[in-house]
Amino acid sequence: MNAPRKLAAGNWKMNGLRADVQEARKLAAEFPSSAVDIVLCPPATLIGAMAASLIGSAVRVGGQDCHVAASGAHTGDISAAMLSDAGAHHVILGHSERRADHDETSVLVAQKARAAHDAGLVAIICVGETEAQRDAGQTLDVVLGQLTDSLPERASATNTVVAYEPVWAIGTGRTPTLEQIAEVHDALRANVPDRAIPLLYGGSVKPANAAQIFAIPNVDGALVGGASLKASDFGAIVAALGAA
């Protein structure tokens, strides 16, 4: 079995203006080449500008969502083909904020992932439990259920990444114990259809804790939120992954 590729993915969420593309250029300058994959996922308004500024660099660009349809009467939505045309290589799907704020189901996430694959994009599919589910001892049932229902039948290491993000750790500064992270990642590795699919951890990842997290077996990288907005912070996380 081929070892999963290491990936550091940054999710800018609804942050960033044109002036902030300079942070992507700073990151690319810090890593003119890289042993790990690096992806930045800015708001849709910045994808084209960021992709253009990173041509020839080791840093790739991704989107934060896509529609299931390739085109049509879907005001305000963006298709996977449009993301690809703008220069995106990856797309985040099923993030807990999309699941909560837009009532996205795992079935819908799988449909979006199929659309992403059809457009040649790598789908970063997110799974994770709420604090109530964690406290009720339902973590593995919830996470593995989301995994099963969110992965399309063609999911493989060439077109899919899985990111475990405990909802209660996103943007809160709280992080699960290393043992809790290991338990979930071991279960995910045992249940993904292609054992070489990279498994990322997300949820308050920062330079101070990145090395410890990357030392956990079956953690192949991170999906980083706030700490990906500044090249200095995200660069330190990328460096820790490269050293793991």
Side-chain angles (χ1 to χ4, degrees), residues 152-168:
E153 60 280 352
R154 290 179 292 162
S156 70
T158 61
N159 61 20
T160 302
V161 174
V162 173
Y164 167 56
E165 292 199 312
V167 179
W168 50 274

Side-chain angles (χ1 to χ4, degrees), residues 74-141:
H74 305 288
T75 301
D77 283 309
I78 299 174
S79 73
M82 290 173 177
L83 292 176
S84 179
D85 184 62
H89 189 270
H90 291 64
V91 60
I92 299 169
L93 298 172
H95 192 281
S96 63
E97 290 158 4
R98 297 289 310 180
R99 291 179 187 261
D101 296 348
H102 299 272
D103 297 321
E104 292 193 2
T105 65
S106 293
V107 172
L108 178 60
V109 173
Q111 293 171 342
K112 290 185 174 188
R114 291 187 194 97
H117 293 164
D118 288 344
L121 297 177
V122 177
I124 302 175
I125 298 176
C126 302
V127 297
E129 83 284 6
T130 65
E131 187 172 31
Q133 291 165 335
R134 162 67 67 175
D135 292 343
Q138 300 171 340
T139 295
L140 292 185
D141 288 339

